Amino acid sequence: MRHEHARACEQRVALQNCGRIDPRNLDQYIAECHGYSGLERALGLGREGVIAELCTSGLRGRGGAGYDTAAKWQNCCDAGGEEKYAVCNAVDSDPRGRTARLLVGSDPHSVLEGLLIAAYAVGAANCFVCVNAEYAEEIAVLQEALEQLRRRGLLGDDILASGFSCDMAIKEIPGSLVAGEETALLQALEGKQPLPYLRTADSASRGLHGMPTLVNSAETLANVSTLFQGHPAATGAESPADGGGTKVLTVSGAVSQERTVEVPFGTTIAAVIEAVEGVPLDDLDIKAVRFGGPTGVFLAGAGLQTPITYEALEEAGSAMGSASIEVFGGGRCAVEMARDVMSYLEQQSCGKCVSCREVTYQLADMLSDIAEFKGEAKDMEMIGELCEFMRNNSICGLGKNAGVPVLSSIRLFAGDYDSHLKDKRCPSGATG
């Protein structure tokens, strides 16, 4: 029954082939999914035509920031340089995220076709697919897919007799929360430690090896494939009434079963949870959800009615991030929820920024003291100041947003903190 509810909520675009085709069968992808017809069409349109089509669609990147895809491609296309690169970011940096793994493992050719279209549009002759090093099975699927493409003349010299030549390689990226950040990813591709760095120029003009580089997520590239294959829903519109635009989400935590689903933009967080659980939200014992990964905002009550759009989430004090929804049961204590996430962020900090390295440590320590009834009321003001300092002085999203879950938990559940600080006990009904 729960599967039926989840399917009723879903509108599959990026995931439309997952689970219904053999990921190792190129012939099936071509015969049943119009596979590589999108690439063929793109080659016929020419580079300017491809970007114009993308612009008309309004497709936004499905990464955490939601950049305009056509503008990003145009910038890379216009950039001068002897060599250009196109990179697929298929790294699930959020340990609860499953989007990239599901796509490259279940429907690799939709991602690879989108990457080839992107490479053609910007003039890149070399592509890289970056994937979590621990995804051994998915890496094997990707390697087989590349071999199939080379045998079919869909990769290498003069693809489809178009004059377009392009090759691809798989790059295994060590798993960490910062590994999926674009600048860290480019560092890894250059054989360096995957640490974020402060940009002096956009990667579209100066990226890998100092050359123009286009970086798109696996989900974005799967949408590109379906768009050029003629799928009517592969657009950038964020209103379900407009019939376009979807987002892949993973629901985990205090739920009966973790699920990855794809829903139209504008669907509320509550509706997704109800669909996955198969019962009304009022029948579920939920304290809060954290949206967007470990640095995402805690939401509760009316906040669960937040529509899943970039703008609505920004208004709620968060970002799309990894688009994971972690559910926390009603018996949880907000102080311990905040302590646990900050302890994780401290471990994941790469240490490059003093602000992030030191402040995540201090916050984890202070929250542990509060959780153990050793905190003082003055700690709350210090927590706010430390979060603000980290936000203003960190390079990447981990440091800039590490304070978001803590501050949102304080805003929502001040009573839990008062119980620990003043009454020296867990809030009534909380089990930790």
Side-chain angles (χ1 to χ4, degrees):
M1 181 63 72
R2 288 189 175 94
H3 291 295
E4 293 300 324
H5 277 276
R7 280 194 288 267
C9 182
E10 280 196 276
Q11 180 184 343
R12 288 193 166 204
V13 179
L15 301 182
Q16 63 177 321
N17 303 323
C18 295
R20 75 179 189 89
I21 65 168
D22 179 356
R24 297 178 183 269
N25 190 333
L26 174 59
D27 289 330
Q28 187 181 17
Y29 177 70
I30 292 172
E32 298 182 18
C33 309
H34 307 291
Y36 293 97
S37 65
L39 173 62
E40 185 175 21
R41 180 164 171 264
L43 294 172
L45 288 171
R47 289 174 181 166
E48 291 184 1
V50 170
I51 295 177
E53 177 109 344
L54 205 57
C55 186
T56 300
S57 76
L59 181 69
R60 296 179 66 169
R62 295 312 196 243
Y67 292 122
D68 181 278
T69 306
K72 195 172 187 179
W73 288 25
Q74 188 70 65
N75 289 342
C76 191
C77 181
D78 292 343
E82 296 180 2
E83 193 168 4
K84 295 182 181 181
Y85 300 96
V87 176
C88 168
N89 184 350
V91 175
D92 288 318
S93 53
D94 178 356
R96 292 184 177 273
R98 297 291 182 270
T99 301
R101 185 173 202 170
L102 181 58
L103 280 168
V104 299
S106 300
D107 187 22
H109 286 290
S110 71
V111 177
L112 299 180
E113 182 175 4
L115 185 55
L116 280 170
I117 294 170
Y120 170 69
V122 303
N126 291 285
C127 299
F128 295 94
V129 182
C130 298
V131 63
N132 299 62
E134 64 269 25
Y135 290 176
E137 184 175 344
E138 289 75 17
I139 290 169
V141 169
L142 280 170
Q143 288 171 336
E144 187 171 341
L146 294 186
E147 292 169 4
Q148 292 172 343
L149 292 180
R150 291 190 180 98
R151 289 197 298 267
R152 290 294 187 89
L154 291 166
L155 198 60
D157 295 330
D158 195 22
I159 296 171
L160 295 177
S162 65
F164 169 55
S165 298
C166 185
D167 205 356
M168 288 186 189
I170 299 166
K171 178 66 177 179
E172 299 179 24
I173 306 295
S176 72
L177 195 57
V178 299
E181 196 273 337
E182 189 170 298
T183 61
L185 203 66
L186 296 178
Q187 291 281 86
L189 281 172
E190 292 179 357
K192 303 172 185 176
Q193 188 176 356
L195 300 177
Y197 60 85
L198 193 62
R199 292 177 184 268
T200 56
D202 187 78
S203 59
S205 58
R206 184 177 175 82
L208 183 61
H209 304 305
M211 295 291 112
T213 305
L214 179 70
V215 183
N216 282 132
S217 70
E219 185 181 351
T220 301
L221 295 172
N223 272 275
V224 168
S225 292
T226 57
L227 172 66
F228 282 89
Q229 290 166 4
H231 195 294
T235 74
E238 289 198 350
S239 168
D242 294 336
T246 59
K247 189 72 189 77
V248 180
L249 313 160
T250 298
V251 183
S252 65
V255 290
S256 57
Q257 183 179 15
E258 295 188 0
R259 286 186 60 82
T260 299
V261 298
E262 185 174 7
V263 302
F265 278 115
T267 305
T268 65
I269 295 170
V272 174
I273 297 171
E274 287 178 334
V276 168
E277 290 294 85
V279 296
L281 196 67
D282 290 344
D283 293 344
L284 298 171
D285 185 22
I286 295 177
K287 172 107 173 184
V289 306
R290 188 172 68 232
F291 188 96
T295 60
V297 68
F298 281 109
L299 298 167
L304 301 185
Q305 300 302 325
T306 301
I308 298 169
T309 69
Y310 293 98
E311 289 75 17
L313 288 165
E314 184 177 355
E315 289 177 10
S318 188
M320 189 67 71
S322 63
S324 63
I325 300 174
E326 184 177 2
V327 179
F328 293 84
R332 295 297 304 273
C333 170
V335 176
E336 295 177 358
M337 287 156 54
R339 175 203 61 192
D340 292 348
V341 70
M342 189 53 63
S343 296
Y344 174 75
L345 293 175
E346 179 202 351
Q347 296 166 12
Q348 291 297 308
S349 173
C350 72
K352 186 173 184 177
C353 300
V354 174
S355 57
C356 179
R357 181 181 71 235
E358 297 300 323
V359 174
T360 53
Y361 169 80
Q362 291 180 57
L363 288 172
D365 193 50
M366 292 175 71
L367 288 166
S368 291
D369 281 348
I370 295 172
E372 295 167 11
F373 317 118
K374 296 185 292 186
E376 301 178 21
K378 65 181 181 180
D379 293 342
M380 301 306 291
E381 183 177 353
M382 178 62 73
I383 286 172
E385 292 175 358
L386 288 171
C387 289
E388 182 69 11
F389 176 79
M390 189 163 47
R391 184 179 72 84
N392 291 329
N393 294 281
S394 298
I395 291 175
C396 81
L398 191 159
K400 288 183 180 298
N401 298 309
V404 169
V406 177
L407 295 177
S408 61
S409 75
I410 294 172
R411 184 175 64 252
L412 287 172
F413 305 111
D416 287 17
Y417 286 84
D418 285 343
S419 292
H420 280 261
L421 291 167
K422 298 177 182 178
D423 303 330
K424 303 302 180 182
R425 61 175 179 80
C426 280
S428 177
T431 58

